[in-house]
Structures are given as structure tokens and as C-alpha cells.
Amino acid sequence: MTGGRAEDHLLETVTELLGDPAHDNNPLRDPLARLLELSTGQRERLERLVRISDGFHQIAREEKRGLAEECDTHLRRLERLVRISDRYQESLREISESLREEALHDPLTGLGNRRYLTERLEAELERCRRSGAPLSLGVLDVDHFKAVNDRLGHERGDRLLCHISNLLADQLREYDLCGRWGGEEFVLVFPETTAEEAVAVCNRVRRTISDTPTPDDLAVETVTVSIGVSTAEEDPDGGYAAAIDRADRRMLAAKEAGRDRVTGPPA
Amino acid sequence: MTELTRESTASTPEIVADASRGLLAMAGDSYPENSYEFFGEIVRWVEEYLGQREDALRLELRLAYLNTSSVRAMLDIFDLLEEAHKQGREVVVEWLYDARNERVAELAGEFKEDCTFPFRILPEEPAE
């Protein structure tokens, strides 16, 4: 029997005895009745106290849980905010990356454009100045391109340029660079390469272009190119523009000499 | 209940809040200089609409780029809708995106995650 039930049982017995008329004259009856009354009152007070105290506990507990939940909600929200915001930022980064790509590339041939070439040329020139390594470059111009354009139209002319740029990209060595300078003119950059080596590579490029059949529907039998080569050593303090200029003049000399040829610096 | 319209600018989306149609439309990129000010009146409009009317509310969103404080404001607005939805109000979000840009759909999906009200992410063919 538990304490509570034993107490209940005792109280029941006492109540029963007090109610029994046989004990009316017992001298203990009156004090016992008063004791019972006192005990019942105290029991009720105790129960109320426990109830109120439990109530406060409950409130405190709920408050604590509420705060924890609120904190969790805020945290989750913050995590979402960061996640979503990061993704927006990532997409902006990708856009700016692709804009940069576009800004440096020629949309027709996919090669680097003039801006790309000047950026790279400046960097390469600076690098070879520091290291003392040679640097050569070539200016390539498609022979009789204007005639092709006029005779067959710009669309075929564009495709002829793509045909040449594909061959160019194939024929250059790993560290060489090339891009479209403008119109039918391409610039080739040969880091750590002497003029003789550059002329040799350019001759290989030139032969490949003249030997490779053009796509049938272009209606151009053969296409040839003229290339002028210059080196940084010719003018150690000059900028890239001067080097391009020298190569350009040699390219024109190659044209005058009959086209389909490479002209390097005078030996 | 007033109508709220804002022309789009370089950094804020176009806003059309029309109580008579139960519509809040937002279209464009959002990276306002003062997002508290810009979104404050939109959030207040939503609160007022949900508080003063019994009608349904539809959000029509064509938002491509949102900066962090705009994301936060949108989460606030969706919280208001969620609360209203739990009280039995009819609310719906339609997030329309350029069919060529799946990315926006993925991001809208992130917003949708905790929402229990109807939240539709719909591709839209670009107008030529």
C-alpha cells in the first residue's frame, strides 16, 4: 500500500468512526474531529501549493522550449538566406566569367580577339624581358581574301576564315598563341622562340594551309597565306605595337614577293 | 487599401500591387540601395491586404536576380503568406521564369522549400 493510499484509508476509517453514533460520548471524539479538519485543510493547501508550483514550472518549461524553437527557426531561416544568396552570387560570377570570355574572343572563329592578343602580348613581352628568353610573333594574312569575299559572298568568306583558324589552332605548338587581329589578319605569338624557329613553324602552318583542301561547298580551290615574322630582340625596349608593325611590313613584303610565303627578319 | 505601383529601375523590379484583383506582381532584378525602404512598403501592403480583406491573394513573380537583402524580404513576405494560409486564407505564389534559365527555377525551389501553400514554378517562353 502506498503512502497516499494508506493515508486515504486511515482518513476514511477516522471519518467512519466519527460518524458512528456509538462513539458520540467518547472524550476523544471532539479533539479527533478537530484534528481531522486541520489535516484536511493542510492537505488541500499542500495540493494547491504543488499545483501552483507545477504551473510555474510548466510556464518556464514552455517558455524555454518556445525560445529554443524560435532560435531554431531563425537559424534555419538564416541558413536558407545564406544558401539562396550564395547561389545568386554564384550565377553572377558565372555571368561575369562568360562576359569576360566573350570580351576576349572572336565570335566567328572562336580564337582570341585583338584585345586578347594585346593583353597576352604585353604579358609575354614583360615575361621574356625579365627572363631574357626570346619572343617571336607572326602576322598572317589570307591571300586574295577580298576577291573571295567579293566573288562568293561574306558567308563563304567567313567560313573560309573558320577553315583557316581551325588549321592554325591545330598546327601551333602547346605554348604558342594565336588570335584574329581583325578582318583576314591573324597574329601568332611564339614565346621562348627565336626568329629562325618561328619562321620554321610559320612555314609549316603556311604549307598546311595551302595543302589542305577547303570544304567542297566553299568553291575555293586552294587558299594560301602570307606571313611576316618579327622578334622582340630586334627592338628590346619597344612595345608590342612596334613588333606587330615590323611583322606586318614583312607580311606585306611577302605579298609583294608573290604571296604564299613567310618573311622573317633579315639574317 | 491603396494600389501600389512602382516602375522598374536599374536596381529594382517593377511592382504592381492591386487589391481589387488580389494580385501582387513583381518583375525584374532586385538589388535596391535601400532594401528596407523599397520592400518595407510592399511588406506593409501584404500585411494590410491580408489583415483587412477576406479575398485570396496571388503573387506573380518574375524575379531573376535578388541580392541578399531582397532574398530576406521575400522570405518575410512568404512567411506572411504561410501564416495566412494556416489561418485558412487562400494564397498562391506563381514564380514564372524564362524557360532558357533553369537556374531561376532552382532558386525559386529553394524559396518554396518550407512553404505549405500552393507555390508554382512555371517556365515561360521568352517574348520575342
Side-chain angles (χ1 to χ4, degrees):
Chain A
M1 206 179 270
T2 65
R5 281 178 65 190
E7 197 185 346
D8 287 346
H9 190 67
L10 179 61
L11 288 173
E12 255 173 54
T13 313
V14 171
T15 309
E16 256 172 49
L17 288 171
L18 285 172
D20 188 345
H23 302 300
D24 273 358
N25 294 321
N26 190 324
L28 290 176
R29 190 191 175 281
D30 200 38
L32 189 60
R34 289 216 306 276
L35 191 62
L36 179 64
E37 197 182 326
L38 200 66
S39 159
T40 308
Q42 270 177 343
R43 240 174 89 113
E44 278 167 8
R45 270 183 62 188
L46 192 65
E47 270 168 19
R48 256 179 67 208
L49 188 65
V50 168
R51 218 169 33 243
I52 292 169
S53 171
D54 275 0
F56 277 117
H57 267 289
Q58 185 66 19
I59 290 172
R61 223 177 65 199
E62 273 167 15
E63 236 166 48
K64 207 172 117 189
R65 201 169 48 209
L67 279 177
E69 269 170 23
E70 209 175 302
C71 188
D72 272 354
T73 311
H74 276 296
L75 210 61
R76 263 177 68 93
R77 228 181 109 97
L78 201 62
E79 278 166 2
R80 267 178 83 196
L81 181 66
V82 169
R83 200 168 61 233
I84 295 176
S85 189
D86 274 358
R87 294 186 64 162
Y88 275 117
Q89 206 183 338
E90 174 64 18
S91 61
L92 276 194
R93 202 189 56 76
E94 275 174 22
I95 290 170
S96 86
E97 190 72 20
S98 70
L99 283 179
R100 206 189 120 72
E101 271 300 291
E102 276 173 37
L104 292 176
H105 283 84
D106 169 45
L108 175 67
T109 60
L111 294 181
N113 60 15
R114 194 181 187 116
R115 184 199 297 254
Y116 164 85
L117 284 168
T118 56
E119 267 185 26
R120 294 308 308 261
L121 268 171
E122 273 173 354
E124 290 296 337
L125 214 54
E126 183 55 40
R127 205 164 64 90
C128 84
R129 246 181 220 139
R130 277 200 311 270
S131 68
L135 173 73
S136 300
L137 64 87
V139 168
L140 177 155
D141 193 275
V142 184
D143 294 333
H144 300 300
F145 182 73
K146 278 194 174 56
V148 172
N149 241 357
D150 291 345
R151 189 160 53 87
L152 302 170
H154 284 282
E155 193 265 336
R156 282 187 179 151
D158 282 354
R159 274 165 52 214
L160 184 63
L161 290 178
C162 290
H163 167 75
I164 289 168
S165 70
N166 288 340
L167 293 176
L168 263 180
D170 280 350
Q171 287 302 312
L172 293 182
R173 302 164 307 175
E174 194 181 346
Y175 298 109
D176 300 338
L177 307 165
C178 73
R180 187 173 172 206
W181 191 249
E184 67 273 30
E185 209 166 73
F186 296 84
V187 165
L188 322 174
V189 184
F190 306 106
E192 297 184 26
T193 306
T194 62
E196 293 80 46
E197 289 167 329
V199 167
V201 175
C202 285
N203 264 314
R204 195 179 71 218
V205 167
R206 177 187 61 80
R207 276 196 304 274
T208 304
I209 291 173
S210 65
D211 291 352
T212 306
T214 56
D216 287 342
D217 60 337
L218 270 186
V220 180
E221 285 280 301
T222 52
V223 59
T224 60
V225 297
S226 301
I227 308 176
V229 173
S230 70
T231 68
E233 292 84 77
E234 293 177 73
D235 177 15
D237 300 321
Y240 73 88
I244 293 256
D245 207 42
R246 286 195 300 277
D248 205 39
R249 282 201 305 271
R250 282 170 198 148
M251 180 272 291
L252 291 174
K255 295 248 179 198
E256 274 161 26
R259 298 188 169 84
D260 191 18
R261 66 193 64 208
V262 178
T263 306
Chain B
M1 192 84 225
T2 50
E3 209 172 280
L4 178 69
T5 52
R6 294 284 177 271
E7 297 270 315
S8 70
T9 71
S11 60
T12 56
E14 180 194 2
I15 305 295
V16 176
D18 185 350
S20 67
R21 288 191 290 158
L23 172 75
L24 169 60
M26 305 172 75
D29 287 340
S30 181
Y31 41 100
E33 240 172 76
N34 188 340
S35 74
Y36 189 78
E37 201 176 287
F38 180 76
F39 280 102
E41 55 181 1
I42 301 169
V43 172
R44 275 195 298 282
W45 184 91
V46 173
E47 276 173 330
E48 272 177 36
Y49 180 90
L50 292 171
Q52 294 173 6
R53 290 184 173 242
E54 297 293 317
D55 307 321
L57 177 61
R58 188 166 70 88
L59 261 60
E60 195 179 286
L61 307 175
R62 288 180 177 82
L63 297 169
Y65 175 75
L66 300 174
N67 70 357
T68 307
S69 52
S70 303
V71 172
R72 184 184 159 174
M74 291 313 295
L75 288 174
D76 282 341
I77 292 171
F78 293 147
D79 277 354
L80 290 174
L81 299 190
E82 183 68 24
E83 216 174 287
H85 172 70
K86 281 185 174 143
Q87 286 163 10
R89 288 290 292 275
E90 191 187 323
V91 293
V92 55
V93 168
E94 282 179 357
W95 194 307
L96 299 126
Y97 67 96
D98 183 332
R100 293 167 304 186
N101 196 351
E102 253 331 288
R103 259 239 148 86
V104 176
E106 285 170 27
L107 278 156
E110 292 269 9
F111 278 105
K112 179 181 175 171
E113 208 173 85
D114 284 348
C115 302
T116 61
F117 54 83
F119 194 123
R120 293 191 278 272
I121 302 166
L122 308 163
E124 214 175 18
E125 290 306 320
E128 289 303 328

